[in-house]
Structures are given as C-alpha cells and as structure tokens.
Amino acid sequence: MILKQLSVFLENKPGTLSAPCRALADAGVNIQTFALADTQKFGILRLVVHEWEKARRVLLEGGWTVKVTDVVAIEVSDTPGGLASLFEVFERASINVEYMYPFTAKQEGKGLMLFRFDDPDAAVKALQANKVSVVGTVELFKRLGN
Amino acid sequence: MSKNYQPGPFHPASAMDYLPLSQLRDLQFQRLRAMVQRAYDRVGLFRQRMDARSLKPAHLETLDDIAKLPFTVKTDLRDTYPFGLFASPLAEIVRFHASTGTTGKPIVVAYTQEDLNDWAQVMLRSFAACGVHRGDIVHNAYGYGLFTGGLGAHYGAEALGASVIPISGGNTDRQVMVLRDFGATAICCTPSYFLHLIERAAGMGVNFKDLPLRAGIFGAEPWTESMRQRIEAESGIKAYDIYGLSEIIGPGVAMECLHQAGPHIFEDMFYPEIIDPETCELLSDGSEGELVLTTLCKRAMPMIRYRTRDITSLNSEPCACGRTLRRIRRIGRRSDDMLIIRGVNVYPSQIESALLAVEGAQPHYQIVVDRQRGLDVLEVQVEVTAELFSDTVGGLEKLQAKLSRSVESVTGLRAEVRLVAPHTLQRSEGKAKRVIDKRKM
C-alpha cells in the first residue's frame, strides 16, 4: 500500500527545474505526478515514477541529492465534499499530513491524491479501518496506464 | 597636576614619540635585553627555543641581534592554551582578554597592572597623536569584553582625561541618538561600522556634518584609502587608522598622526621588523613583507618576534609631524587565511568545525563575505548531501537554523546559512575554494 516517492533538492534559481526532468526523460522515465515545494532560497521537487529505483540512480549519477520517501495514494470522490470527508477521517484517526498533491488521472468519478503522512504505516491501517480506498502500487500504475 | 593646568595640543606622554633616534634605539636595546631575560627565565617555550639555538639572553649585544631570536606564531598561543606563555604568576595578573584562534579555541592574553598602565599610555598617545585631548567626548563603540578594542580604548581615553561614553557595539539607532545628543567629538569603532552608522543616521534624519564629531579612530579590520575618503566626504570628520593586535597588547601598537600618512609604531614599546613570509628573511625598511613585532615592556605575556601575518612595509622617512617613530603602510592583506569580519577574527577552519559539529554535515561549504550598506555580511553556503537532506521544507529550514547557530556559537558572528545543491561550489584544482571575499575595500 506504500508508494515510493523521490525528493530532489533544488536551489531556487533559473534552470534548476528542467535539468533533472531532462535527465529522467533521456533515461525513458515518465513522471506520473509531481509537486514542487519552494522557499525563497531552495525547493524540493517531489516525483512519483513507475521505476523509482532506476530514476533514483539516474538522478544520483547526475549529481542530485535524492531522498526516497514513503507516500500513500488514496482515492477521493470527485464530488463536493469528497476531500472534506477524507480529512474528517484523518482528524478522527489522528493522522498527521505533512503534505499532499494530486494525480491528474481520474476514473469513474474518483480522483487520486498522494499523501505524505508522518507515520505512513499507521496511516494506512487507520484509513483501511475507516474504509478509505487506499491504492497500491500495482493498481496505481495499472490505472496510470503502465 | 594643578587645577589651573590648561591642556594644550601637546600631551606630555607624547614626548616619547619624538625621542632622537640614537636614544630611541638605545632604549629599545636596553628594554629588549631585559624583556628577553625575563621571558627566558620564566617562559618554558622561549627558553627551549633559545636553548635549541644555544642562545642566551646575554648573547644579545646590539639591537640587530634581535634577528637571532626565534619567531613566535599564533599556534604557539593555541598550543600553550590557556596560560602557558605567562611570565607572571596569576597573582600578578589583573586582566585577561581573548581573541579567536584557528580552531575554535581562543587565544588568551594577560596583563599585569603595569601592562595595563602601559597600554593606557600607548592608547593615550594614540588619541593625542590625532589631536584628541582632555575636554573631548569620546564615543567608544568598540565592543567591551574579551575583545581588546573596547577596554583598550576606554582606559586610554580616561588616562587622557577625555569624557568617555562606553557605549560598546550594537544597537545602531541608540548609537546615533547618543552621538547626536551627547555631542561626541571623537569616535572609536571599526571603519565599516562607522559607514553603517552614517547610513543609519541619514535614515533617522541625522547628518554627521551637523554634529560636533571631528575625529574617528578606526581599526580592528583592514580598510583602504578610498574608504577613508568616503568616510571623510560623507561625515565631515577626519578618519585615522589605528593598528594593534591582542597578542601584542591590543589597540595602540601604532596610530596615525594628524598628517594621516600611515600609523606610527610606538617603537619604545614595540619593536617592528619586516620579513619575507616565505623565507623568513629580514627585509629592509620600505620593502613589503610580514610585520613581526616584539614587545619591549610587556610583563605578563612578553612576545618575542611575533609573526602578525599582516603584510605591510616600514616607512622610516621623516613624517611632517616630527615624530621619530617609523610608520607602517596601511595593512591590506594577510599572509594567512584569517578573515576579519565586523572586527572579529575568523578562520575558515573555525567555520568548518562549526558545520561539522552538526550531525550529518560534510565539509562541503563556501564562505562568502560581502559588505552591504556598510556592514560586513557573512554567508556560509553548505552543500546539501543525502545525509542532510530532509524531504520537508520545515526540516531543511531547521537544518539551516542549526548550522547557523553552530557557526555563531564558534565564531561569535551571525551567519546566513544558504543550502546549495551538491557539487555546485567552486573547486579549483580539485581543492575547494573556501572563501569568496566580495568586499570592495
């Protein structure tokens, strides 16, 4: 149920964003979704790719600092209140979200969100107990067409 | 001194500035012999080094024989930390000062009461040399504390009979208010801090040209002739260069006279030589090299041929003021990698050890010193390695703060830590370029 996400340290200056993406492209790695956390001086590029080990190697060889983080993909109803209901589950189960970002793929009126929890394993357990649909790696990449 | 005494432009203590050369050299030699004897008798390091050369104090027969004596270097102070070079028992020591060393351990210096009196005298002569006298109000913005600048200037100005404002460093707005309201006529601080004061004052609607301030005694960091011109043009005061270092006594080793033609060394107290920093060969007056100083009167902590690492030359040409004391040319660079930032001595190795004290940190860093709005700014760029990289912004900001705190605790200077991508810092010939000094002086 746990997905691997790659985080790349970037300085906040022109040109730093294209280079890692180009390196991944040259290696034939497709980025499924990404998010950029930025401050005035630095940023963190977060990526979900199918072959994360290969992508990690490509980035390390290119000289980037990369960290692998456990994240969780969750199905969210694409209707008013879909997110609100999900967050209410988090609150009830005392799950802490560090950050989140969406996938662009949508299926049967459901969207996919990616969450970084402070304790991913505990979160998955609590979410399943609350009947929240957590999407595993195999299912995820099937949906994404890989 | 009678109450009717009217201070004139000449202070009696300055008489030593004008000794005929033959008398001055004779005095230097007599004092050198006595000082070397004391150092030999009381300080193990000096005795071992002289014994290694089969040299006895009695072998000094002329002043030129000083060249036979071994050099003393900064690491000698570190290696004997804290009290190993003292020539007086602790009971006779009445004051300590300390400055930063190369590895985070400070360099400790000590003074007997006689040393403090001597120091006050050379500082008094420094003030008098640039026309500051009894009746002047001296705004002393050198930091008070372990740094020699604050108390050194303070006791000298008091011995002179001037009215001292012991404001110390920091709180610039208050400094401007006090300068304006107390009507100081002289100021002591680093030249870069004075530029900062001028700028802040302008923001507060205070123009230094409207104040009674007329003289600045600027030192503790290298500065240039163009900085002097800028200070004088923007503030309407005269800017004088003072030189000193804790290992010798503190400020008051050399001071410019009204002619502003390079600091005169108080040679009756400190004997100067210039050497080639590579070969240690003695150079003649006028040649550029490293300044070496020998204390002629210090009791608690005599220094024999101390290598200052400051690059300058000795000027023996007569000065228009009539002083017989030789002058040093303005010090612009050093023969080691020491940086002087806001008057504080900093070695790159100190910053390195501060960074390494943070868990996971690697020695991939670069120090960038710049001058913004007249004030030195220290930035430390640190490469983010896998060990340091945390996936959250908060984690990286915490890391920045931790590194910054560590640098501040070791150097005493606030540093802006900037996280940079790996392998982005300049490397030359495989060796990292550690320091980029962008200050235009």
Side-chain angles (χ1 to χ4, degrees):
Chain A
M1 290 292 129
I2 301 286
L3 293 175
K4 297 295 182 191
Q5 169 200 258
L6 300 180
S7 301
V8 184
F9 178 84
L10 297 176
E11 284 178 63
N12 195 352
K13 60 185 185 193
T16 51
L17 206 44
S18 61
C21 296
R22 174 59 59 198
L24 290 175
D26 290 346
V29 175
N30 191 30
I31 298 169
Q32 302 297 345
T33 186
F34 75 96
L36 185 67
D38 71 302
T39 71
Q40 215 179 350
K41 295 201 170 144
F42 62 82
I44 303 170
L45 176 65
R46 298 173 178 134
L47 303 164
V48 173
V49 298
H50 191 199
E51 299 170 282
W52 68 268
E53 282 138 318
K54 176 177 168 189
R56 176 172 175 270
R57 204 171 50 242
V58 168
L59 291 169
L60 286 177
E61 281 165 6
W64 282 280
T65 299
V66 183
K67 197 173 181 82
V68 180
T69 321
D70 290 343
V71 290
V72 180
I74 297 173
E75 225 172 43
V76 189
S77 166
D78 187 21
T79 51
L83 267 179
S85 316
L86 180 64
F87 292 156
E88 280 154 17
V89 172
F90 291 174
E91 280 163 29
R92 278 200 305 276
S94 299
I95 299 169
N96 269 327
V97 179
E98 288 187 349
Y99 52 81
M100 52 179 273
Y101 53 98
F103 281 94
T104 47
K106 211 174 10 170
Q107 189 179 324
E108 294 159 7
K110 298 208 164 161
L112 274 173
M113 295 287 304
L114 204 94
F115 288 91
R116 164 70 187 167
F117 299 109
D118 57 355
D119 184 347
D121 293 314
V124 167
K125 228 178 259 170
L127 290 168
Q128 286 173 331
N130 280 281
K131 309 213 164 10
V132 173
S133 174
V134 179
V135 182
T137 313
V138 177
E139 168 66 15
L140 176 75
F141 288 108
K142 207 167 85 192
R143 283 195 202 183
L144 296 172
N146 283 281
Chain B
M1 204 176 286
S2 90
K3 281 217 157 127
N4 300 325
Y5 174 74
Q6 290 296 309
F10 180 83
H11 192 284
S14 294
M16 294 299 276
D17 296 5
Y18 302 90
L19 275 186
L21 275 183
S22 60
Q23 283 181 31
L24 175 60
R25 299 288 172 252
D26 194 39
L27 177 68
Q28 287 172 325
F29 176 62
Q30 300 302 332
R31 286 182 167 174
L32 175 73
R33 270 266 287 258
M35 186 281 297
V36 170
Q37 185 70 57
R38 180 184 171 90
Y40 183 85
D41 291 342
R42 297 176 174 227
V43 183
L45 180 99
F46 293 137
R47 185 170 54 251
Q48 284 152 23
R49 290 213 175 137
M50 286 175 64
D51 284 346
R53 298 175 173 213
S54 305
L55 192 64
K56 299 278 174 227
H59 294 159
L60 298 176
E61 290 171 353
T62 68
L63 193 52
D64 291 338
D65 288 341
I66 191 172
K68 293 178 180 169
L69 293 164
F71 292 108
T72 309
V73 293
K74 192 158 195 162
T75 48
D76 291 331
L77 281 90
R78 187 194 66 195
D79 296 344
T80 56
Y81 174 88
F83 299 161
L85 289 185
F86 290 6
S88 298
L90 270 178
E92 287 173 22
I93 282 162
V94 295
R95 174 94 62 80
F96 294 109
H97 281 285
S99 76
T100 50
T102 48
T103 56
K105 252 191 198 171
I107 296 287
V108 180
V109 295
Y111 305 77
T112 65
Q113 185 57 54
E114 296 99 315
D115 292 333
L116 288 185
N117 297 345
D118 285 345
W119 189 12
Q121 285 296 302
V122 286
M123 274 310 297
L124 184 169
R125 289 160 66 186
S126 299
F127 284 114
C130 69
V132 175
H133 289 285
R134 184 166 170 243
D136 274 306
I137 299 175
V138 177
H139 181 103
N140 184 17
Y142 282 124
Y144 281 64
L146 284 176
F147 173 54
T148 49
L151 288 172
H154 180 98
Y155 280 89
E158 277 193 359
L160 181 72
S163 317
V164 188
I165 306 169
I167 195 149
S168 194
N171 201 341
T172 307
D173 287 0
R174 191 183 61 173
Q175 300 245 1
V176 171
M177 184 192 77
V178 168
L179 272 166
R180 182 194 59 200
D181 297 348
F182 290 24
T185 51
I187 182 168
C188 305
C189 62
T190 61
S192 60
Y193 188 65
F194 188 70
L195 281 172
H196 182 64
L197 273 173
I198 295 174
E199 199 157 304
R200 186 69 69 84
M204 293 167 67
V206 175
N207 185 345
F208 271 58
K209 289 184 177 164
D210 300 334
L211 303 181
L213 192 69
R214 62 164 212 279
I217 293 99
F218 299 128
E221 68 185 13
W223 54 308
T224 57
E225 205 48 43
S226 63
M227 250 175 103
R228 163 147 47 205
Q229 284 160 9
R230 199 181 135 200
I231 286 173
E232 295 192 341
E234 289 183 15
S235 68
I237 72 163
K238 288 282 178 194
Y240 301 96
D241 191 9
I242 188 165
Y243 175 76
L245 60 166
S246 306
E247 298 90 318
I248 296 302
I249 201 158
V253 172
M255 173 65 188
E256 278 190 333
C257 66
L258 290 167
H259 297 277
Q260 299 174 293
H264 289 274
I265 297 184
F266 294 111
E267 283 198 69
D268 51 308
M269 304 296 291
F270 316 106
Y271 188 79
E273 298 168 277
I274 297 287
I275 61 163
D276 180 322
E278 302 294 326
T279 64
C280 294
E281 180 199 350
L282 199 61
L283 302 177
S284 56
D285 285 2
S287 311
E288 186 184 86
E290 182 181 332
L291 178 65
V292 171
L293 290 166
T294 298
T295 61
L296 297 175
C297 293
K298 276 278 277 302
R299 290 163 185 82
M301 211 166 153
M303 263 314 141
I304 296 176
R305 302 191 84 200
Y306 183 73
R307 293 187 58 173
T308 65
R309 298 289 174 183
D310 288 320
I311 302 293
T312 182
S313 61
L314 281 175
N315 182 356
S316 50
E317 286 174 24
C319 180
C321 71
R323 281 178 176 76
T324 50
L325 306 170
R326 280 176 287 179
R327 287 167 284 160
I328 47 174
R329 214 201 43 225
R330 184 186 286 284
I331 285 156
R333 62 189 181 89
R334 293 179 51 84
S335 69
D336 65 3
D337 60 354
M338 188 180 91
L339 290 160
I340 303 180
I341 301 168
R342 278 176 253 150
V344 178
N345 299 349
V346 183
Y347 288 90
S349 55
Q350 282 180 295
I351 291 178
E352 177 169 321
S353 62
L355 296 177
L356 290 176
V358 173
E359 206 185 312
Q362 299 281 317
H364 304 307
Y365 66 93
Q366 192 162 55
I367 297 159
V368 182
V369 193
D370 203 353
R371 188 158 281 170
Q372 289 167 7
R373 295 165 57 226
L375 212 59
D376 293 345
V377 185
L378 170 64
E379 181 181 271
V380 183
Q381 300 182 342
V382 183
E383 287 187 359
V384 176
T385 55
E387 294 79 27
L388 288 177
F389 185 35
S390 112
D391 165 52
T392 61
V393 170
L396 286 174
E397 282 172 346
K398 228 181 263 171
L399 170 70
Q400 266 181 338
K402 217 194 271 179
L403 291 166
S404 174
R405 262 199 313 276
S406 185
V407 171
E408 186 172 355
S409 73
V410 171
T411 63
L413 282 171
R414 196 139 39 117
E416 171 94 10
V417 169
R418 178 192 280 265
L419 300 176
V420 299
H423 316 293
T424 52
L425 297 179
Q426 286 179 40
R427 285 162 169 84
S428 54
E429 294 159 17
K431 202 166 169 255
K433 187 166 164 36
R434 291 297 184 207
V435 180
I436 295 180
D437 199 338
K438 294 181 176 168
R439 291 176 291 187
K440 289 187 186 69
M441 291 190 283

